[in-house]
Amino acid sequence: MRWEIIVIIVLAVLLAISCVMLVMLAKKRSEEKRRAERDAEFAEDVRVKGGVRYSEDDAIEKDGAANITFQKGDFMLPRGETFTAERGKKPMPGTYTVLAASENTPSFKLRVGGLVRTYTHGDTLVLAEGEEICAVSCAVILR
């Protein structure tokens, strides 16, 4: 075999290896770009389960400001809807921490047992069996 043919074969092999590596790098970059776009849709420490977004962060305040999170086991009180605390249903009787569903609302009003009272983010609320609760001024999270 002549040395020119050997050089051509070696160059062809190197070219083939380079093409395969280029395709692999392009695929990896595409996957990273797709992953970055997907991660940009969700805030940090958020997990989606069953179509509901849950926060991994359970702190109710961060840097002196309200930290709005929704975790598994939390109950959302939409504004204007009345719920009755019953065993086996939501909300159940017991002690809850009330959280404003909006960072811009440090205090809010709840109607509990027929009386309207002002609560602030992080206050404690005790619901008795059969007691009615309604968010009057804004949506509220019961944790």
Side-chain angles (χ1 to χ4, degrees):
M1 219 185 235
R2 294 179 28 190
W3 67 274
E4 295 95 6
I5 296 176
I6 295 173
V7 170
I8 291 174
I9 292 174
V10 169
L11 289 176
V13 169
L14 289 176
L15 180 64
I17 291 173
S18 298
C19 288
V20 169
M21 291 183 70
L22 183 65
V23 169
M24 290 174 52
L25 287 174
K27 186 175 179 180
K28 184 176 180 180
R29 181 173 178 193
S30 174
E31 288 175 2
E32 287 176 356
K33 184 178 178 184
R34 197 172 319 128
R35 185 179 308 121
E37 288 173 357
R38 185 182 67 234
D39 291 345
E41 294 175 5
F42 300 109
E44 290 183 23
D45 300 330
V46 173
R47 140 181 72 92
V48 178
K49 186 173 183 182
V52 179
R53 295 181 60 184
Y54 295 109
S55 175
E56 299 287 335
D57 183 13
D58 61 352
I60 61 172
E61 286 191 6
K62 268 194 176 174
D63 302 325
N67 184 28
I68 309 303
T69 62
F70 190 73
Q71 296 186 326
K72 188 171 183 176
D74 288 354
F75 183 76
M76 176 66 78
L77 280 176
R79 183 175 158 245
E81 289 187 37
T82 302
F83 295 90
T84 303
E86 296 179 18
R87 290 183 196 194
K89 296 186 179 179
K90 288 195 174 192
M92 297 187 313
T95 303
Y96 291 93
T97 300
V98 291
L99 307 172
S102 171
E103 292 178 353
N104 300 329
T105 310
S107 63
F108 46 90
K109 295 183 187 274
L110 292 177
R111 181 180 300 117
V112 181
L115 301 173
V116 176
R117 179 176 160 216
T118 302
Y119 291 86
T120 58
H121 186 82
D123 282 353
T124 301
L125 169 71
V126 178
L127 288 178
E129 176 78 28
E131 198 165 36
E132 291 185 345
I133 184 169
C134 176
V136 176
S137 59
C138 70
V140 175
I141 299 170
L142 296 179
R143 176 170 295 155

